[in-house]
Amino acid sequence: MRLVIARCSVDYAGRLTAHLPSAPRLILVKADGSVSIHADDRAYKPLNWMSPPCTLKEGAGEEEGVWTVVNKAGEKLIITMEEILHDSSHELGVDPGLIKDGVEAHLQELLADRIETLGEGYTLIRREYMTAIGPVDILCRDAEGRTVAVEIKRRGEIDGVEQLTRYLELLNRDPHLAPVRGIFAAQEIKPQARVLAADRGIGCQILDYDALRGIEDDKLRLF
């Protein structure tokens, strides 16, 4: 990973146009080729970014100090450096990924054993299906034989939908799996996460922990 702190301006040219005026910012260039621009006041969310696959070209001569990032769609992120305050590179190696808490790990195990919870005719491909950006919780097939990626959370929020979106983007590049659709599964899913999932074409599934464990509901029922 390369970390650059610089006074710079940023212009995006693509489906829309956007401009960030001159200011000190952090620029992250990751091993996967992604480039993101960060301020000091927005937690983890970048001001602008370019997802992989993309190429970074650092200008020379009259273009020195101008970085041009281009993705496969031809969209451009142009970073004009005015002053570089810090520039360093670090080898982080392979990340072991997020270690889920006990409930999420158990939900994954239970759902894999009872994959038909997602629908009649579903079959398991495998748990923890590894990708270049981390493991997909569950990869399975629906009754029509289409590939389905499942992200499991105890509480479903926007971050989880974004995570599944990244997995789907990567999985759909594999001709042996594509087309791949997603299911966001959790014990509770926040309304904002549902809206984002619907916008991304991702299905939502509420998981009943006790039902997956085979524990009967002790409430009185009329039959």
Side-chain angles (χ1 to χ4, degrees), residues 31-47:
D32 63 3
S34 64
V35 179
S36 56
I37 317 295
H38 298 260
D40 202 18
D41 64 347
R42 296 183 179 223
Y44 62 89
K45 188 173 182 180
L47 297 166

Side-chain angles (χ1 to χ4, degrees), residues 13-41:
R15 288 165 293 180
L16 301 171
T17 59
H19 174 71
L20 294 172
S22 176
R25 297 189 175 93
L26 168 65
I27 304 165
L28 298 183
V29 183
K30 294 188 177 180
D32 63 3
S34 64
V35 179
S36 56
I37 317 295
H38 298 260
D40 202 18
D41 64 347

Side-chain angles (χ1 to χ4, degrees), residues 5-105:
I5 299 175
R7 179 173 292 279
C8 62
S9 60
V10 183
D11 291 279
Y12 168 79
R15 288 165 293 180
L16 301 171
T17 59
H19 174 71
L20 294 172
S22 176
R25 297 189 175 93
L26 168 65
I27 304 165
L28 298 183
V29 183
K30 294 188 177 180
D32 63 3
S34 64
V35 179
S36 56
I37 317 295
H38 298 260
D40 202 18
D41 64 347
R42 296 183 179 223
Y44 62 89
K45 188 173 182 180
L47 297 166
N48 214 327
W49 68 94
M50 194 69 81
S51 300
C54 58
T55 58
L56 167 61
K57 179 181 178 182
E58 298 185 41
E62 293 183 358
E63 295 295 320
E64 186 175 1
V66 178
W67 290 14
T68 303
V69 187
V70 184
N71 67 11
K72 62 180 180 180
E75 299 168 318
K76 294 182 179 181
L77 194 64
I78 301 171
I79 307 167
T80 303
M81 305 289 189
E82 299 173 12
E83 181 185 7
I84 294 180
L85 306 172
H86 175 84
D87 188 347
S88 64
S89 296
H90 308 270
E91 180 59 54
L92 302 185
V94 178
D95 191 89
L98 178 68
I99 299 176
K100 296 178 177 293
D101 66 28
V103 173
E104 285 187 11

Side-chain angles (χ1 to χ4, degrees), residues 127-204:
R127 291 172 53 197
E128 298 287 337
Y129 184 89
M130 187 56 65
T131 74
I133 57 174
V136 177
D137 287 336
I138 289 178
L139 199 68
C140 58
R141 297 194 187 277
D142 63 17
E144 285 73 44
R146 296 170 297 190
T147 311
V148 182
V150 185
E151 178 64 27
I152 299 171
K153 300 292 184 187
R154 182 170 58 178
R155 174 178 294 178
E157 301 190 23
I158 285 177
D159 288 354
V161 179
E162 293 283 10
Q163 182 180 357
L164 179 53
T165 300
R166 292 191 293 271
Y167 287 144
L168 290 171
E169 182 181 345
L170 195 63
L171 292 169
N172 272 299
R173 298 178 197 164
D174 186 339
H176 299 292
L177 297 175
V180 185
R181 65 183 181 89
I183 294 179
F184 189 49
Q187 289 179 282
E188 172 193 359
I189 301 177
K190 296 294 186 181
Q192 298 92 332
R194 283 187 177 275
V195 170
L196 182 60
D199 182 67
R200 302 279 173 86
I202 293 171
C204 289

